[in-house]
Amino acid sequence: MNTTLLAGILRWIGRLTTLVVVAFVLLAATVPAGSPSFREVVGLFFFPGIVVVGLLLAWWREAIGAGVATVGLLGFYGWSFVSGANFARGPWFIVCWAPAVFFIGSWFLRRQLQSPPAASA
């Protein structure tokens, strides 16, 4: 398959799955719940806060946005571990972060296309 085509497909899969994640987060935000504790507020800052910001940023800057989303996910899991909270369970947080993988794949393929071929010795 053509590398340019594959990079474009990965980019659009990343974009479409980002829309699904954002819709999921907005739907979850409409569910009535009690006031979150301080630990939960910090957790919400990382996920969905930083993760969603990173995924949306990846629409324009794939590598930077995917990096921000990754930092958000790692921060979320790190905070969950350090704070002794148990809210970071199940695969859904990784699934919601998955669009970042598509963006990184697209960025990597586009970078390969832009780099000049290695000179033979």
Side-chain angles (χ1 to χ4, degrees):
M1 180 180 282
N2 183 352
T3 305
T4 305
L5 177 62
L6 182 57
I9 289 171
L10 288 176
R11 174 182 273 178
W12 277 103
I13 291 173
R15 287 177 173 181
L16 292 173
T17 54
T18 293
L19 293 176
V20 171
V21 169
V22 169
F24 172 74
V25 167
L26 290 174
L27 179 64
T30 63
V31 174
S35 297
S37 68
F38 175 74
R39 286 192 291 188
E40 292 170 335
V41 168
V42 175
L44 289 169
F45 170 75
F46 288 112
F47 183 91
I50 299 297
V51 173
V52 168
V53 166
L55 293 178
L56 293 174
L57 178 62
W59 280 52
W60 294 276
R61 300 285 188 182
E62 292 168 325
I64 294 170
V68 168
T70 301
V71 166
L73 185 73
L74 292 175
F76 176 73
Y77 278 113
W79 175 251
S80 180
F81 177 75
V82 168
S83 70
N86 60 358
F87 48 75
R89 292 187 285 174
W92 296 111
F93 301 105
I94 299 290
V95 170
C96 289
W97 169 79
V101 176
F102 294 113
F103 285 122
I104 282 294
S106 174
W107 170 80
F108 180 76
L109 290 174
R110 289 177 197 283
R111 187 170 172 238
Q112 293 298 317
L113 289 171
Q114 293 172 352
S115 63
S120 323

